[in-house]
Amino acid sequence: MSTAPRKTTYREAAREAIREAMLRDPRVFLMGEDVGRYGGCYAVSKGLLQEFGEERIRDTPLSESAFVGAGIGAALGGMRPIVEVMSVNFSLLALDQIVNNAATIPHMSGGQFAVPLVMRMPTGSGRQVAAQHSHSLEGWYAHIPGLKIVAPATLEDVRGMLWTALEDPNPVLIFEHVQLYNMEGELSPAAGPVPIAGAAIRRPGRDLSIITYGGSLPKCLAAAEALATDGIEAEVIDLRSLRPLDDATIMASVARTRRVLIVDEGWRSGGLSAEISARIVEQAFYELDAPPARLCGVEVPIPYPKHLEDASVPQAESIRLAARALVRPA
Amino acid sequence: MSDFCMPSLGADMEKGTVVEWLKKPGDRIAKGDVVAVVETQKGSFEVEVFEDGVLSEIVVAVGTEVPVGAVLARIDSGEVATVPASAPPQAVMPSMPAFKPAVVPPPRPAGERLRLSPAAARRAAELGVDPRGVVGSGQGGAITLADVEAAVAKTARAAGGKTRRGFDPAAMRQAIAGAMARSKREIPHYYLGLPIDMDRALKWLAAENARRDIENRLLVGVLLLKATALALKDVPELNGFWIDGEPRLSSAVHVGWAISLRGGGLMAPAIHDADGKTVDQLMAALRDLVVRARTARLRGSEMTDPTVTITSLGERGAERVYGVIYPPQLAIVGFGAVRPAPAVLDGAVAVRPTVYATVSGDHRASDGVSGSRLLVAIDSRLQAPEAL
C-alpha cells in the first residue's frame, strides 16, 4: 500500500474512521436515523450497510430519546455504540438521556458502570437548512460534567478522534460542522487515532491569539493569512476539546501575544466564548494588554436566506476586522 | 569559508541583537575591521572580525535576536573551512515591527482614571516607572506593555545624551545584577588595603602639567593605571581568568577601567597592553574610552579582553573602595579619592596627600600574600613617577 498522502474529504475521513473502528472491534456498531439505506443525511455512512450488514449499521425509528437511550444501554452492556443524531437541534429530544443518564450513571453508580458511548452530530450553519437545523449548541453540552465534548476541525482529527473516543470510558460527543464535510485535503493512508484532549496551535503568531474550533477554524486561518499581509501575525488556536478546555495552551498563548479574540459561531450570551473569556481574565489578567474580545453568532435564530445566514455568523472578513481593531485600535 | 558568530561580550551575556551591518556581502574585510553593531543588555557594541577575507553572506538580519555562538555571517577567507558548519541560528525572538497608533489620543482630562493595561501595569511596577505621562497606543488610548517599554527606552536615550543606539538601563541593571551576584556566589574574595603617599607623584604631575597644553595634561588616574599595570607584571598571579576550575594567567595586561554611565550603570572596557603604553598614550586611551562608553561605541573585544579591573572613585567621594571581582577575572584594584591624611614620616606625624589602594582577590587562584605584594609594588611604582 502506498504511504503517499492522498486527496480526500472530511466526509470520507469520517467514514474511514467508522470503518476502521468497525473492523478493529466487533463491539462497535453505528445507529441513527437514515444511517443505513440512505447512507446518512450528510452521506458519511454511505456504503457501510453493504459492507457490514444490518446488525451493525442500524436504521432507527424517528425517536432520539429512544435510540440514544438504547445506545446508553448498549454501552452499559459492554458494547461500543456510535450513535449518530441527524442534527444537534434534534439532540434536544434526547437531552434527558444525555444529561440525566449518560453523564450521571458513572457517578450515580459509584463508579461501577462506565458509559463508553460515542455520539456524533452535525452542527452549525451554512447549508441553508434554516433555524431548526443550523444551530451551534455544543457550548451547551460543554456545560455538563460527565461528558467529553470534541470538535474535529481537520481531516486528521475527524479521522483520528473517533477511535480514541470509543476507548474512553466516558460518554464522548463529537461535533462535526456541516460546512466541513466537503473540505478537501491530503491525508496519509497511515493516519490513525489522535488524542482527544488538548488544543492545537494551527498557526503561530505574536500579535494576537485567535481562539476558535470546528467550522470557524478555516475562516480564522483565512483571516490570519489576510492579516499577515497587513503585518499582523495572528496565532490561531484550535480548541479541539470543548470539555475539558485546555487552559494551559490558551494561557501560554495569551502570555505571548497579550491580546485575544475568541471566535465562536454559537451565541454570545452564556456561551462557550464567555467561559473562555472568564478563564483568561481569571488566570491571565496580568498578561493582557486589552480586554478579551469575542466574535460570536448574532443572537437570532439562524436565517434561511443565504446572505442573512452568512451575516449571522463570523466570517473570515469580520474576523479579520475584529482582529485588526484589537491590535491597531483606531 | 568560516563563520562569524555572535560573540560573548561578557560573562552574563546569553544573546544579542544585530542592530546594524557596517559591511555588505562582497566587501573585503581585514582583521580588526568593525563589521556589525550588536546590542546587548549592556548596550551596543561594535564587533570586529579576526581574520582577513571577503564577507560572503549575511545570515542574521538586522533586528533579529540570536543566542551567543549563532552564526551571523560567513567569511570567505580563501582557505578550506576549518570551522565545522553550525546549525543555522535559531531566532530567539524576531523584533516587533514598529507601528504607530493611527490617532494619537488627546491628553486625558485631569482626574480621569489612567487607562493602563494589566500587563503594562505589571511591567511599569517591575521597572519602577511612573506610567503617567506615557502615551498609550491601545484601545481608547490605553497604555500597553510595549508603550511602557518604549517610554523607558526613550528616557534612557535622552539621559544618555548622544547615545545613538538602544540602551536600556533596566536591562543593564539586570546584567550587573547577574554578574555581581555570580561573583559573590562563586568567588571567595579576600580584601587588602594600603594607604599610599602621593606626595611625589602629585608633585611630578604638577610639574609635568605646568609645561603642557591644557588638552595634553595628565590626570592622576593615569598614574594609578600605569603603576598598577606595571605592578601586575611583578605579581602575575592576579592577572588573568578563572576558567574551568583553574587559573589561566595572562601574559598581557589588559586593564578594564570602570566607567560609570550617565544614564545609570557601569562598564569596564579594556585598555589593551597598559603596561607597555606611555602615560600619554594611556591618557588618550582613557579619554577615548570614556567618550565611547558613554555614546555606546565600544567594541566587543574591549568588553571581553580585560584581564583585571581598576575602579577609581576619582577626586571626590569615598576614601576607599573594596571592589567586587568581575567574573571570570582574578582581581579588582580599587583607588579612593586622593586626600590629605596624617602620615608618620621619620617618627613624626605629617599631613600628606594619600590614596587608599585596595585589592580584592580570588582566593581560589591566589592568597593574600600575592595581593599584599601587588599593593606594595603599586606603592613603590608611585614613588618613582618619572619612571611611569
Side-chain angles (χ1 to χ4, degrees):
Chain A
M1 192 173 88
S2 165
T3 55
R6 56 190 169 74
K7 257 193 131 160
T8 187
T9 62
Y10 186 93
R11 171 185 292 106
E12 286 164 16
R15 181 187 307 134
E16 205 47 45
I18 298 170
R19 277 194 74 238
E20 185 205 15
M22 303 279 287
L23 292 168
R24 276 174 81 159
D25 188 339
R27 297 173 301 173
V28 173
F29 67 98
L30 176 69
M31 169 164 71
E33 293 161 355
D34 285 339
V35 299
R37 276 171 191 79
Y38 185 63
C41 75
Y42 287 98
V44 168
S45 51
K46 208 173 184 74
L48 294 182
L49 175 67
Q50 290 72 27
E51 184 173 358
F52 294 102
E54 288 185 349
E55 279 285 298
R56 301 184 71 193
I57 305 291
R58 304 178 74 97
D59 280 322
T60 65
L62 303 187
S63 172
E64 281 76 8
S65 182
F67 69 77
V68 172
I72 294 169
L76 287 168
M79 300 296 279
R80 292 290 181 272
I82 303 169
V83 176
E84 177 178 314
V85 176
M86 197 176 273
S87 150
V88 66
N89 282 82
F90 302 167
S91 75
L92 303 187
L93 290 154
L95 262 186
D96 175 57
Q97 293 292 357
I98 297 168
V99 178
N100 283 331
N101 290 330
T104 59
I105 286 172
H107 166 80
M108 294 297 288
S109 68
Q112 295 182 81
F113 294 112
V115 184
L117 167 75
V118 172
M119 294 182 66
R120 295 176 40 249
M121 32 187 144
T123 185
S125 68
R127 301 289 291 251
Q128 279 199 273
V129 284
Q132 291 163 333
H133 307 77
S134 301
H135 290 144
S136 295
L137 301 178
E138 53 277 6
W140 267 9
Y141 287 107
H143 180 64
I144 311 296
L147 300 180
K148 288 189 177 177
I149 311 298
V150 298
T154 64
L155 298 181
E156 287 76 13
D157 276 356
V158 78
R159 175 69 182 81
M161 280 182 161
L162 181 73
W163 178 258
T164 315
L166 284 164
E167 296 276 282
D168 199 291
N170 300 289
V172 179
L173 275 54
I174 301 176
F175 286 90
E176 299 164 5
H177 196 283
V178 295
Q179 282 200 301
L180 294 176
Y181 283 123
N182 289 331
M183 182 171 75
E184 289 185 335
E186 299 216 315
L187 188 64
S188 164
V194 298
I196 57 172
I201 295 173
R202 298 297 184 198
R203 179 191 174 105
R206 59 173 186 241
D207 295 331
L208 84 156
S209 303
I210 300 179
I211 299 175
T212 192
Y213 68 91
S216 295
L217 178 66
K219 298 174 182 175
C220 289
L221 288 170
E225 199 66 33
L227 287 162
T229 64
D230 214 3
I232 296 173
E233 291 297 336
E235 180 150 299
V236 179
I237 295 178
D238 174 7
L239 288 172
R240 300 180 72 251
S241 169
L242 311 187
R243 182 183 187 93
L245 285 169
D246 180 357
D247 288 2
T249 297
I250 295 171
M251 303 313 155
S253 176
V254 170
R256 284 191 296 275
T257 63
R258 307 193 181 284
R259 290 176 174 82
V260 59
L261 172 67
I262 304 157
V263 178
D264 179 8
E265 188 174 317
W267 295 307
R268 176 189 299 258
S269 301
L272 189 67
S273 64
E275 174 62 28
I276 295 166
S277 176
R279 289 185 189 211
I280 290 168
V281 172
E282 286 167 349
Q283 298 176 41
F285 181 75
Y286 292 103
E287 307 294 346
L288 291 170
D289 254 346
R294 287 189 285 161
L295 189 64
C296 300
V298 179
E299 300 207 16
V300 293
I302 296 288
Y304 171 75
K306 176 149 182 20
H307 66 291
L308 292 180
E309 183 181 43
D310 287 347
S312 68
V313 296
Q315 303 293 352
E317 179 61 7
S318 57
I319 296 166
R320 183 186 76 81
L321 291 173
R324 198 175 193 288
L326 193 58
V327 176
R328 296 184 192 164
Chain B
M1 190 74 73
S2 63
D3 293 335
F4 172 61
C5 298
M6 175 63 75
S8 172
L9 304 177
D12 39 4
M13 175 172 163
E14 292 169 357
K15 55 199 180 190
T17 304
V18 176
V19 294
E20 194 176 347
W21 280 105
L22 302 172
K23 300 282 181 186
K24 58 185 187 302
D27 283 358
R28 285 214 74 81
I29 49 177
K31 181 180 175 186
D33 281 358
V34 174
V35 293
V37 180
V38 166
E39 192 169 300
T40 74
Q41 283 183 313
K42 284 198 161 183
S44 304
F45 299 99
E46 295 178 340
V47 182
E48 62 264 58
V49 289
F50 297 98
E51 62 187 306
D52 299 337
V54 174
L55 187 70
S56 60
E57 182 193 357
I58 286 177
V59 179
V60 169
V62 165
T64 309
E65 187 173 53
V66 294
V68 166
V71 177
L72 301 179
R74 296 190 204 282
I75 296 165
D76 187 349
S77 50
E79 294 165 12
V80 179
T82 52
V83 183
S86 308
Q90 192 191 356
V92 177
M93 193 175 59
S95 66
M96 305 276 282
F99 65 79
K100 297 230 163 22
V103 179
V104 177
R108 286 175 285 276
E112 190 183 317
R113 196 171 187 280
L114 191 63
R115 294 176 72 88
L116 185 63
S117 89
R122 187 177 60 183
R123 188 80 180 116
E126 283 168 2
L127 295 174
V129 172
D130 183 354
R132 284 172 297 186
V134 175
V135 177
S137 65
Q139 290 181 347
I143 298 163
T144 66
L145 185 146
D147 296 333
V148 169
E149 291 185 334
V152 168
K154 196 174 156 194
T155 307
R157 276 197 297 280
K162 281 186 283 183
T163 304
R164 76 200 156 94
R165 299 163 185 150
F167 167 63
D168 179 350
M172 170 163 284
R173 201 68 252 161
Q174 285 300 311
I176 294 172
M180 294 298 98
R182 178 184 156 197
S183 175
K184 280 287 183 167
R185 196 165 55 237
E186 294 178 3
I187 303 178
H189 290 58
Y190 64 79
Y191 304 99
L192 302 167
L194 181 71
I196 294 174
D197 187 334
M198 291 295 283
D199 189 61
R200 300 176 80 153
L202 292 188
K203 280 187 173 135
W204 178 84
L205 194 66
E208 191 65 26
N209 280 341
R211 59 180 188 78
R212 284 166 178 260
D213 301 335
I214 288 174
E215 61 264 32
N216 290 324
R217 284 183 184 165
L218 303 173
L219 294 172
V220 66
V222 85
L223 301 184
L224 302 175
L225 169 58
K226 184 70 186 288
T228 304
L230 291 172
L232 280 164
K233 296 300 277 186
D234 299 339
V235 191
E237 58 266 38
L238 293 184
N239 185 54
F241 309 102
W242 181 266
I243 294 172
D244 295 336
E246 58 180 27
R248 303 271 176 86
L249 303 186
S250 168
S251 54
V253 180
H254 304 314
V255 174
W257 187 262
I259 298 167
S260 64
L261 302 179
R262 295 195 186 99
L266 185 66
M267 288 188 185
I271 295 170
H272 291 101
D273 300 309
D275 55 312
K277 286 193 162 77
T278 66
V279 287
D280 287 293
Q281 287 170 330
L282 288 174
M283 196 65 231
L286 213 50
R287 283 202 173 98
D288 172 53
L289 215 51
V290 170
V291 168
R292 285 192 294 116
R294 290 181 175 160
T295 52
R297 283 259 185 196
L298 292 174
R299 291 184 173 197
S301 60
E302 289 170 329
M303 296 309 292
T304 50
D305 288 350
T307 56
V308 69
T309 296
I310 293 179
T311 176
S312 171
L313 298 182
E315 288 159 38
R316 292 179 294 277
E319 180 192 51
R320 55 186 90 168
V321 51
Y322 293 98
V324 178
I325 298 168
Y326 185 68
Q329 293 170 26
L330 298 174
I332 181 169
V333 175
F335 294 101
V338 182
R339 56 206 296 166
V344 177
L345 284 178
D346 300 328
V349 174
V351 174
R352 307 282 286 186
T354 305
V355 68
Y356 202 101
T358 64
V359 59
S360 308
D362 183 340
H363 216 328
R364 296 173 300 183
S366 68
D367 303 323
V369 65
S370 299
S372 183
R373 278 172 45 222
L374 180 72
L375 290 176
V376 170
I378 293 171
D379 187 358
S380 71
R381 298 283 178 181
L382 287 168
Q383 301 318 314
E386 63 285 350
L388 288 174

